[in-house]
Amino acid sequence: MRAPESAAAHPTTSRRSGAAGAGNGRRAQGGVAGGALLADNLLLLLTWSQRSGAQGGVSLETEQSGTHPPITLALPQATATDSVQALSIVRLDRLAGVDLTLPGLQLSLGRKKVELDGEVVMAGMADLRTFLRQHLAGLDAEARTRIVEWLPGAAGELLDGDGGRYSLSRALQTVHESLREHPQPCVIAPEEPRGLQIDGLLSIDPQTFWVKGWAMNADAAVEELTAVSPEGAGGGFLERAMRFARPDVEQFYGSTPDFDEDRSGFLGLVELDVPSLLGNGWTVEMKDSMGVAVGAEVPQVVREPLAVRSTILADFELTKRPGHPARADLFEPALTRLQARLAEDVKIEDVRRHGRPPANPEVSVIVPLYRRIDFLEHQLTQFTRDPELAETDLIYVLDSPEDGEALARLAPEVHALTGVPFRVVTLARNAGFSGANNAAAGIAEGKKLLLLNSDVIPDRPGWLGMMSAFFDATPQIGALAPKLLYEDETLQHAGLYFLRAPGSPVWENMHYFKGLNRHTPAACLARPVPAVTGACLMVDRERYESLGGLRGQFVQGDYEDSDLCLRLHEIGLDSWYLPQAELYHLEAQSYPGELRRATTAYNTWLHSYIWDETITEVMEAQKGESS
């Protein structure tokens, strides 16, 4: 019995490609029309069966079906013959790292099984483009769309690990380009009613992307904006998109666009069900209420995480008012996911010890270094006056790896000069304030941690022992910080409190008595406070680790300290201020002002977004205690 016409039309659909009978001379019930590799261990097969023998549909099974069964998509009848077709993705077994086998391959035709010869099937495989051209390109638009939408998720589900993910992405792109329905390209001209342009697409992670551009339609309302990856996965983003004015667009068209209150610019968050790893080949499609769809090409995807973060933070300024819904709907999930990605990438590249390590240190002092590696020399020169520092586990964390060679030359010279033992930890990439501290905490040897800025220097010896003793003697203490001074002997830190300006929805971190004389009586009393600064903060190491350390949601170095204090507050622990320990803080000298300005607005909003109710309670309680 010959195969169905749709299969018999090509040599690859004969018995040579695995078409099989039910056995013992009975007529064939089904077979394999063709196939191709999608990735190193994924095979795409087109199977067929006679309709009379497949009342329950056609599917593919292998001996490994218990662990990774093939995934099948039924296709509509392609010809007038009495047959049905299906696409199946099969995960292959590897032998000797080269051979691919298909043991126990069989078609399931309703209640019947048809055994297939795996070696014959493999021998009949074609390259992917040939397979698509011969077997799938002739299907109708609806069938091809179903394949394109089904394939990325089904293939990703069977992919074994990440090793073949890039090759799979390239294969999926080939399928997508061959089978998809291409939207009408958008022509940007003043006389054209529809306009769509994508200014940038940024990868937050392989399944989340930040898109920026503009769209307008003079004839009808815009109903859908969908980003389509090169692999064929689509993500609509219009519902949560933020719209903003683009005067240049409106001037170009000489009219006001009918797009969300006369705003043609948009920011959106694209979330895909499957990863996209390719940089080129994206499109964005716009569909209006009249059913007309147009598409626009997308520039190459930006993937470098720090560049992505800088762009999103710059876009944050477009929200203007603190209560803008896009802050919670777009910016918070985007930047939180990006910060999580950066945290996952934090790795210690190198650890070098200078001097003999102290035995059983009580405290580990962690000092991040960001660019200003000269602070290592300034700080250690002051530490030579204090014998306690020689008995401390002192860890410097280089958070700007590009300065690694310079620090490698400087560190032994400084140790020879000062005699203070310390370790230098070099990170593989910039991790920010939280990542640097958390990485060093993972190798700390002390029972307590002291987080210390590189631009903090002591006023006199004994401060660390004083803080450690006070910490041990104070019940229910969570975090402890000293008095910090400016160079002119005025107060920089005497504990933190939270202030919300009239009419503002956000709380800001404020320093008690900032700018007053260091001897101001109220600033000379040890007391619990709402929070303390991370510029010099002591905490129990095990408790720090149990809380996950400093939370990486905040960008670069703002609000992680008060966030930690509020998390300690949640478990019933207090933050304390100890004025008897005094140090100088050259505030923000290690953190360039331009970078700080770019992150402060977001961090201030995020801190309030997370902690608004708790801060309100804390500050109400603070008022009650002071009244």
Side-chain angles (χ1 to χ4, degrees):
M1 182 70 179
R2 66 186 177 88
E5 291 180 12
S6 60
H10 307 287
T12 56
T13 64
S14 67
R15 286 184 178 275
R16 176 177 175 274
S17 65
N24 297 325
R26 287 181 291 173
R27 51 190 274 173
Q29 297 293 325
V32 176
L37 282 174
L38 282 175
D40 291 344
N41 66 339
L42 291 183
L43 183 64
L44 181 65
L45 292 177
L46 178 65
T47 59
W48 62 268
S49 71
Q50 293 177 351
R51 185 175 299 278
S52 59
Q55 296 177 359
V58 57
S59 62
L60 203 63
E61 297 178 4
T62 68
E63 287 182 356
Q64 293 78 29
S65 292
T67 54
H68 41 263
I71 298 177
T72 299
L73 172 71
L75 295 176
Q77 189 173 355
T79 69
T81 61
D82 184 29
S83 66
V84 293
Q85 293 181 303
L87 274 179
S88 292
I89 303 174
V90 185
R91 180 168 147 189
L92 305 172
D93 284 344
R94 280 182 168 276
L95 296 176
V98 176
D99 296 331
L100 297 171
T101 63
L102 279 171
L105 186 67
Q106 62 182 7
L107 282 174
S108 177
L109 309 175
R111 298 178 180 177
K112 299 179 181 181
K113 306 286 185 184
V114 175
E115 300 294 331
L116 301 176
D117 187 329
E119 292 185 3
V120 174
V121 171
M122 292 300 296
M125 295 301 99
D127 70 274
L128 183 58
R129 291 186 183 276
T130 299
F131 168 73
L132 295 171
R133 184 176 64 254
Q134 291 181 344
H135 298 286
L136 302 182
L139 296 174
D140 61 34
E142 181 180 353
R144 286 184 281 112
T145 299
R146 287 181 60 203
I147 293 171
V148 167
E149 292 178 350
W150 164 79
L151 194 57
E157 186 176 330
L158 283 183
L159 188 67
D160 185 14
D162 293 331
R165 193 166 292 282
Y166 185 77
S167 61
L168 175 61
S169 285
R170 298 292 299 182
L172 292 175
Q173 183 181 33
T174 298
V175 175
H176 184 220
E177 291 176 347
S178 300
L179 302 184
R180 71 169 176 156
E181 287 292 293
H182 294 264
Q184 174 186 345
C186 182
V187 177
I188 297 177
E191 64 274 11
E192 292 291 333
R194 297 170 185 86
L196 174 65
Q197 179 170 301
I198 307 305
D199 297 324
L201 186 71
L202 294 77
S203 174
I204 293 166
D205 60 42
Q207 290 181 233
T208 314
F209 296 81
W210 186 262
V211 61
K212 185 176 183 178
W214 59 264
M216 68 164 295
N217 195 330
D219 285 351
V222 176
E223 288 195 340
E224 296 179 16
L225 284 173
T226 304
V228 182
S229 75
E231 296 90 342
F237 60 89
L238 178 59
E239 185 177 351
R240 288 197 301 169
M242 171 188 161
R243 290 73 174 272
F244 59 94
R246 284 290 301 264
D248 56 330
V249 173
E250 296 160 20
Q251 182 179 3
F252 176 79
Y253 283 97
S255 63
T256 301
D258 182 17
F259 188 63
D260 188 54
E261 299 179 357
D262 303 338
R263 296 179 178 184
S264 55
F266 62 77
L267 295 171
L269 195 61
V270 178
E271 297 174 288
L272 304 179
D273 292 332
V274 293
S276 176
L277 304 182
L278 304 178
N280 292 305
W282 281 78
T283 58
V284 169
E285 300 174 7
M286 177 177 71
K287 184 178 180 181
D288 64 26
S289 57
M290 298 174 62
V292 179
V294 296
E297 295 183 357
V298 175
Q300 182 166 337
V301 178
V302 177
R303 294 189 180 273
E304 204 290 311
L306 297 182
V308 172
R309 188 175 69 183
S310 295
T311 300
I312 296 175
L313 285 170
D315 289 339
F316 188 75
E317 296 181 5
L318 293 171
T319 61
K320 305 294 183 184
R321 62 185 195 277
H324 197 297
R327 293 188 169 191
D329 293 342
L330 294 181
F331 289 90
E332 189 277 330
L335 286 168
T336 294
R337 291 178 197 181
L338 184 58
Q339 289 295 105
R341 175 186 169 190
L342 288 167
E344 290 173 359
D345 291 343
V346 173
K347 294 180 178 62
I348 294 178
E349 185 81 13
D350 181 55
V351 180
R352 299 189 183 186
R353 191 180 290 275
H354 301 275
R356 180 175 296 179
N360 302 316
E362 185 68 22
V363 180
S364 289
V365 176
I366 298 174
V367 186
L369 288 173
Y370 181 70
R371 294 183 180 172
R372 292 294 304 272
I373 63 173
D374 57 306
F375 283 162
L376 172 82
E377 182 175 2
H378 300 322
Q379 198 173 59
L380 283 172
T381 301
Q382 298 299 320
F383 287 173
T384 58
R385 303 166 51 199
D386 194 340
E388 289 180 352
L389 271 299
E391 303 302 320
T392 299
D393 177 30
L394 180 56
I395 306 171
Y396 284 93
V397 191
L398 183 60
D399 193 33
S400 49
E402 62 274 16
D403 297 314
E405 292 185 9
L407 185 59
R409 294 190 298 268
L410 177 64
E413 296 176 0
V414 174
H415 174 257
L417 176 67
T418 64
V420 178
F422 61 94
R423 287 184 281 172
V424 172
V425 173
T426 302
L427 302 180
R429 64 177 306 158
N430 172 259
F433 184 72
S434 60
N437 278 288
N438 292 344
I443 63 168
E445 299 171 358
K447 298 176 184 177
K448 295 184 285 289
L449 302 177
L450 183 87
L451 312 184
L452 186 68
N453 279 15
S454 58
D455 53 2
V456 173
I457 57 177
D459 178 49
R460 56 187 180 276
W463 61 276
L464 184 59
M466 187 184 302
M467 289 183 67
S468 182
F470 185 90
F471 192 96
D472 292 340
T474 306
Q476 297 300 110
I477 189 171
L480 175 66
K483 180 188 293 184
L484 295 180
L485 306 167
Y486 289 118
E487 295 172 89
D488 63 359
E489 305 297 317
T490 59
L491 289 163
Q492 188 264 320
H493 173 265
L496 294 179
Y497 66 98
F498 307 108
L499 178 67
R500 180 154 57 190
S504 173
V506 299
W507 294 94
E508 295 184 63
N509 285 3
M510 307 297 290
H511 293 252
Y512 284 112
F513 315 119
K514 186 171 183 176
L516 298 183
N517 186 276
R518 68 185 294 181
H519 300 300
T520 299
C524 295
L525 299 174
R527 67 194 191 284
V529 289
V532 291
T533 180
C536 184
L537 183 152
M538 182 172 284
V539 64
D540 179 82
R541 178 170 61 85
E542 291 185 359
R543 187 165 291 125
Y544 181 88
E545 292 175 346
S546 71
L547 291 174
L550 295 177
R551 188 145 52 179
Q553 282 179 275
F554 298 92
V555 178
Q556 194 64 32
D558 275 323
Y559 289 90
E560 293 98 333
D561 45 14
S562 54
D563 174 77
L564 175 63
C565 293
L566 289 167
R567 285 186 286 144
L568 290 166
H569 170 81
E570 279 192 319
I571 59 174
L573 301 178
D574 299 322
S575 298
W576 277 81
Y577 163 65
L578 181 64
Q580 286 72 31
E582 297 179 308
L583 299 94
Y584 291 94
H585 183 202
L586 309 177
E587 190 178 24
Q589 292 297 307
S590 59
Y591 188 177
E594 182 178 349
L595 183 60
R596 180 177 289 275
R597 286 191 298 273
T599 60
T600 295
Y602 174 73
N603 287 332
T604 303
W605 170 83
L606 178 63
H607 186 260
S608 297
Y609 179 70
I610 296 171
W611 291 113
D612 181 52
E613 291 185 8
T614 302
I615 292 175
T616 300
E617 294 171 2
V618 167
M619 293 312 298
E620 287 296 328
Q622 194 77 8
K623 287 181 183 178
E625 292 175 5
S626 60
S627 60

